[in-house]
Amino acid sequence: MYNIILFGAPGSGKGTQSAKLIEKYGLKHVSTGDLLRSEISRKTLLGAEAKILIEQGQLVPDHIVIGMIESVIDENTEVTGFLFDGFPRTLRQAEALDKLLAEKGKTISVFFALKVSESELAKRLLQRGLSSGRSDDRDEEIIKARIEEYNAKTSIVADHYKKQNKMVAIEGEGNIEEIFENLCHEIDTRTKMEKHPA
Ligand code: B4P
């Protein structure tokens, strides 16, 4: 089982690259952003709570997202691997994910950190806001709050996986296809090494 975390600031390309990676490798895509937006569109209680926070550019409480991830892992025992997109976003979420996988005898194989400058992030999100219908992409103040939230609570997650020797930094600015090729190269090299250790 090959389990990937695709990590980065809002607008760094997680969703964009995830779509390409799941198509190529047949992994189960787990996007907490998508799961939360689905709760919002179905007008559930959880969605109502998440909507207020997302529209302010804040993170949704850990217990909510951890609960969602737990269900997905429990319901998908036969998959070749998971691609976690936008999760974990706090240290508590990272520790919970490690524990949930360990209980099933699994682990995170690689943690990809997409590196993109703040000015480029804001530019991309505002651009997406023109067509996505996402209210959190339309307002510069909300985008600023999301990036601040990332710097305050999320960026430390990279250190957690760096300590486990799983962190691989990937340049996230430039051509989408080239970034995808770099990710694929890292995955292919690692899976080959696992199959044929030196
Ligand atoms: P997410 O849905 O995870 O949204 P995101 O971070 O904005 O998107 P992403 O990074 O995937 O976007 P992409 O770059 O692909 O989260 C939304 C909200 O949900 C959060 O703010 C939070 O409130 C909540 N939430 C989600 N997960 C949570 C968790 N675990 N805990 C607590 N709260 C949580 O796309 C951006 C744009 O850039 C696109 O238009 C794309 O076309 C463009 N783009 C991508 N790559 C490009 C490139 N190389 N060059 C130019 N443009 C590019």
Side-chain angles (χ1 to χ4, degrees):
M1 195 183 210
Y2 205 76
N3 298 310
I4 300 174
I5 294 175
L6 202 51
F7 178 84
S12 56
K14 303 184 295 286
T16 305
Q17 296 297 335
S18 289
K20 298 171 78 62
L21 289 170
I22 53 161
E23 197 191 336
K24 174 159 178 172
Y25 294 102
L27 300 165
K28 169 75 186 164
H29 184 205
V30 188
S31 157
T32 39
D34 287 351
L35 291 171
L36 291 166
R37 283 186 287 277
S38 154
E39 296 283 341
I40 294 170
S41 65
R42 287 186 285 120
K43 298 196 181 330
T44 63
L45 266 178
L46 192 161
E49 191 181 341
K51 186 170 189 286
I52 298 167
L53 294 162
I54 290 175
E55 286 182 350
Q56 291 170 352
Q58 288 173 21
L59 293 182
V60 172
D62 286 336
H63 69 272
I64 294 183
V65 274
I66 292 168
M68 290 191 323
I69 292 290
E70 194 168 4
S71 310
V72 175
I73 292 176
D74 281 345
E75 285 160 13
N76 290 278
T77 48
E78 302 301 317
V79 294
T80 51
F82 291 101
L83 173 58
F84 296 101
D85 160 9
F87 179 90
R89 257 175 155 99
T90 64
L91 201 49
R92 194 165 148 224
Q93 291 180 19
E95 286 164 355
L97 176 62
D98 290 352
K99 189 162 166 269
L100 285 171
L101 289 174
E103 282 165 6
K104 311 239 178 270
K106 317 280 182 223
T107 189
I108 289 299
S109 312
V110 66
F111 175 97
F112 290 124
L114 291 167
K115 302 284 172 200
V116 176
S117 67
E118 288 193 8
S119 57
E120 171 73 8
L121 294 174
K123 203 172 90 190
R124 286 184 189 178
L125 293 173
L126 282 170
Q127 182 64 35
R128 182 170 65 182
L130 296 175
S131 58
S132 68
R134 277 178 58 171
S135 55
D136 59 340
D137 283 346
R138 266 185 248 137
D139 184 310
E140 269 188 71
E141 282 307 307
I142 298 174
I143 290 174
K144 211 170 128 215
R146 288 166 67 190
I147 295 173
E148 276 168 12
E149 192 84 331
Y150 170 82
N151 288 331
K153 298 181 186 161
T154 306
S155 57
I156 49 163
V157 173
D159 295 332
H160 175 79
Y161 288 100
K162 201 172 180 183
K163 281 186 201 141
Q164 298 182 18
N165 281 327
K166 291 177 178 168
M167 208 274 269
V168 177
I170 299 282
E171 174 56 58
E173 284 191 44
N175 184 285
I176 290 175
E177 282 309 318
E178 277 173 23
I179 298 165
F180 177 59
E181 275 168 30
N182 288 339
L183 287 164
C184 293
H185 174 75
E186 294 290 342
I187 294 170
D188 295 343
T189 310
R190 279 172 172 69
T191 44
K192 238 180 254 159
M193 270 161 49
E194 270 175 24
K195 279 188 204 141
H196 310 285

